[in-house]
Short mmCIF file of all heavy atoms in Angstrom, two decimals:
data_model
loop_
_atom_site.label_atom_id
_atom_site.label_comp_id
_atom_site.label_asym_id
_atom_site.label_seq_id
_atom_site.Cartn_x
_atom_site.Cartn_y
_atom_site.Cartn_z
N ARG J 468 3.03 -16.28 -2.65
CA ARG J 468 3.62 -15.69 -3.85
C ARG J 468 4.19 -16.78 -4.75
O ARG J 468 4.82 -17.72 -4.29
CB ARG J 468 4.71 -14.69 -3.47
CG ARG J 468 4.17 -13.43 -2.82
CD ARG J 468 5.26 -12.43 -2.51
NE ARG J 468 6.16 -12.90 -1.47
CZ ARG J 468 7.26 -12.29 -1.09
NH1 ARG J 468 7.62 -11.17 -1.68
NH2 ARG J 468 8.01 -12.78 -0.12
N LEU J 470 6.69 -18.19 -7.55
CA LEU J 470 8.06 -17.94 -8.02
C LEU J 470 8.05 -17.51 -9.48
O LEU J 470 7.28 -18.04 -10.29
CB LEU J 470 8.92 -19.19 -7.86
CG LEU J 470 9.42 -19.51 -6.44
CD1 LEU J 470 9.99 -20.92 -6.40
CD2 LEU J 470 10.46 -18.50 -5.97
N TYR J 502 13.07 -24.59 -5.05
CA TYR J 502 13.58 -23.40 -5.74
C TYR J 502 13.50 -22.18 -4.82
O TYR J 502 12.70 -22.15 -3.88
CB TYR J 502 12.79 -23.14 -7.02
CG TYR J 502 13.13 -24.11 -8.14
CD1 TYR J 502 12.51 -25.35 -8.22
CD2 TYR J 502 14.08 -23.78 -9.10
CE1 TYR J 502 12.82 -26.24 -9.24
CE2 TYR J 502 14.41 -24.66 -10.13
CZ TYR J 502 13.78 -25.88 -10.19
OH TYR J 502 14.09 -26.76 -11.19
N ARG J 503 14.31 -21.20 -5.13
CA ARG J 503 14.35 -19.96 -4.35
C ARG J 503 14.16 -18.76 -5.29
O ARG J 503 14.44 -18.85 -6.49
CB ARG J 503 15.69 -19.82 -3.61
CG ARG J 503 16.90 -19.78 -4.53
CD ARG J 503 18.20 -19.61 -3.76
NE ARG J 503 19.36 -19.68 -4.65
CZ ARG J 503 19.83 -18.65 -5.33
NH1 ARG J 503 19.24 -17.47 -5.24
NH2 ARG J 503 20.90 -18.79 -6.11
N PRO J 504 13.71 -17.63 -4.75
CA PRO J 504 13.56 -16.42 -5.58
C PRO J 504 14.92 -15.79 -5.87
O PRO J 504 15.82 -15.85 -5.04
CB PRO J 504 12.69 -15.51 -4.72
CG PRO J 504 13.00 -15.92 -3.32
CD PRO J 504 13.26 -17.41 -3.36
N TYR J 514 9.40 -12.99 -7.29
CA TYR J 514 8.04 -13.54 -7.30
C TYR J 514 7.19 -12.79 -8.33
O TYR J 514 7.37 -11.60 -8.57
CB TYR J 514 7.39 -13.41 -5.93
CG TYR J 514 8.06 -14.21 -4.84
CD1 TYR J 514 8.98 -13.62 -3.97
CD2 TYR J 514 7.78 -15.57 -4.69
CE1 TYR J 514 9.60 -14.36 -2.97
CE2 TYR J 514 8.39 -16.31 -3.70
CZ TYR J 514 9.30 -15.71 -2.84
OH TYR J 514 9.91 -16.46 -1.86
N GLY J 559 0.80 -26.72 0.77
CA GLY J 559 1.85 -25.78 0.40
C GLY J 559 3.15 -26.49 0.05
O GLY J 559 3.84 -26.13 -0.92
N LYS J 562 3.27 -27.77 -3.38
CA LYS J 562 3.59 -26.76 -4.39
C LYS J 562 5.08 -26.42 -4.38
O LYS J 562 5.64 -25.99 -5.39
CB LYS J 562 2.74 -25.52 -4.17
CG LYS J 562 1.29 -25.75 -4.64
CD LYS J 562 0.44 -24.53 -4.50
CE LYS J 562 -0.88 -24.71 -5.26
NZ LYS J 562 -1.61 -25.92 -4.94
N VAL J 563 5.73 -26.62 -3.24
CA VAL J 563 7.20 -26.47 -3.20
C VAL J 563 7.84 -27.57 -4.04
O VAL J 563 8.78 -27.32 -4.80
CB VAL J 563 7.71 -26.52 -1.74
CG1 VAL J 563 9.24 -26.57 -1.70
CG2 VAL J 563 7.20 -25.33 -0.95
N VAL J 567 6.46 -24.39 -7.71
CA VAL J 567 5.56 -23.25 -7.92
C VAL J 567 5.88 -22.11 -6.98
O VAL J 567 5.82 -20.94 -7.35
CB VAL J 567 4.08 -23.70 -7.74
CG1 VAL J 567 3.14 -22.50 -7.82
CG2 VAL J 567 3.72 -24.74 -8.78
N THR J 568 6.22 -22.43 -5.73
CA THR J 568 6.55 -21.41 -4.75
C THR J 568 7.76 -21.86 -3.93
O THR J 568 8.26 -22.98 -4.12
CB THR J 568 5.34 -21.11 -3.84
OG1 THR J 568 5.64 -19.98 -3.02
CG2 THR J 568 5.00 -22.30 -2.95
N SER J 569 8.21 -20.99 -3.04
CA SER J 569 9.40 -21.31 -2.25
C SER J 569 9.01 -21.85 -0.89
O SER J 569 7.89 -21.63 -0.40
CB SER J 569 10.27 -20.06 -2.09
OG SER J 569 9.59 -19.09 -1.30
N LEU J 570 9.93 -22.54 -0.25
CA LEU J 570 9.69 -23.08 1.09
C LEU J 570 9.44 -21.95 2.08
O LEU J 570 8.58 -22.07 2.97
CB LEU J 570 10.89 -23.92 1.53
CG LEU J 570 10.76 -24.62 2.90
CD1 LEU J 570 9.60 -25.61 2.88
CD2 LEU J 570 12.06 -25.33 3.26
N GLU J 571 10.15 -20.83 1.93
CA GLU J 571 9.98 -19.69 2.84
C GLU J 571 8.55 -19.16 2.80
O GLU J 571 7.98 -18.80 3.82
CB GLU J 571 10.96 -18.56 2.48
CG GLU J 571 12.42 -18.88 2.73
CD GLU J 571 13.04 -19.72 1.62
OE1 GLU J 571 12.37 -19.93 0.58
OE2 GLU J 571 14.17 -20.20 1.81
N GLU J 572 7.98 -19.08 1.60
CA GLU J 572 6.61 -18.60 1.46
C GLU J 572 5.62 -19.50 2.18
O GLU J 572 4.71 -19.04 2.86
CB GLU J 572 6.23 -18.51 -0.04
CG GLU J 572 6.55 -17.22 -0.69
CD GLU J 572 5.75 -16.06 -0.11
OE1 GLU J 572 4.54 -15.98 -0.32
OE2 GLU J 572 6.37 -15.22 0.58
N VAL J 573 5.78 -20.79 2.01
CA VAL J 573 4.86 -21.74 2.63
C VAL J 573 4.98 -21.68 4.15
O VAL J 573 3.97 -21.69 4.87
CB VAL J 573 5.12 -23.17 2.11
CG1 VAL J 573 4.31 -24.19 2.89
CG2 VAL J 573 4.80 -23.25 0.62
N LEU J 574 6.20 -21.58 4.66
CA LEU J 574 6.40 -21.49 6.10
C LEU J 574 5.79 -20.21 6.66
O LEU J 574 5.31 -20.18 7.79
CB LEU J 574 7.90 -21.53 6.44
CG LEU J 574 8.64 -22.83 6.10
CD1 LEU J 574 10.12 -22.70 6.46
CD2 LEU J 574 8.03 -24.02 6.82
#
Side-chain angles (χ1 to χ4, degrees):
R468 290 183 293 173
L470 283 168
Y502 286 84
R503 61 178 175 84
Y514 296 98
K562 285 183 167 53
V563 172
V567 175
T568 188
S569 66
L570 183 62
E571 293 80 9
E572 271 295 290
V573 172
L574 295 178

